[in-house]
Amino acid sequence: QVRLTESGGGLVQAGGSLRLSCAASGKIADLNAMGWYRRAPGMQRLFVARIFNSGMTTYSDSVKGRFTISMDNITKTTELQMNSLDVGDTAIYYCNAKELLTDYWGLGAQVFVSS
């Protein structure tokens, strides 16, 4: 079993930056990717970014060029650096970890961007 614990987030003005962190614990040796999803108010949870053990990254079009994902392969800790935030980025951000066909989720971290 894998447990994901998010930290960071909070309130920021539009144009500002925030960093989210997620630490995996438990049986982490078999994880092959970590990433982030977000759920805006009244919306479904959507993909934001993912990083694989190889270092390959993917981003949603809405955050490409503004967000950067990184991962420590040994500790299985991932960070999401979010720059040039706008009100449309307001959401609960969920950490995700993949182990073959299994997905693990954190409880979420709130990000609120004010205009």
Side-chain angles (χ1 to χ4, degrees), residues 38-59:
R38 67 186 182 187
R39 187 197 307 270
M43 305 291 285
Q44 64 182 358
R45 187 161 54 187
L46 298 175
F47 169 76
V48 174
R50 180 176 295 125
I51 184 166
F52 296 86
N53 289 347
S54 64
M56 187 181 77
T57 58
T58 61
Y59 297 92

Side-chain angles (χ1 to χ4, degrees), residues 12-84:
V12 67
Q13 283 191 323
S17 298
L18 282 175
R19 177 177 292 179
L20 298 175
S21 296
C22 173
S25 59
K27 188 183 175 187
I28 64 174
D30 297 330
L31 295 180
N32 51 42
M34 297 186 76
W36 295 90
Y37 287 68
R38 67 186 182 187
R39 187 197 307 270
M43 305 291 285
Q44 64 182 358
R45 187 161 54 187
L46 298 175
F47 169 76
V48 174
R50 180 176 295 125
I51 184 166
F52 296 86
N53 289 347
S54 64
M56 187 181 77
T57 58
T58 61
Y59 297 92
S60 69
D61 287 343
S62 61
V63 307
K64 199 173 295 183
R66 299 188 298 123
F67 290 12
T68 303
I69 188 170
S70 60
M71 182 171 71
D72 183 316
N73 241 338
I74 297 175
T75 63
K76 296 301 184 185
T77 301
T78 183
E79 292 190 338
L80 185 68
Q81 177 66 40
M82 305 181 291
N83 299 328
S84 302

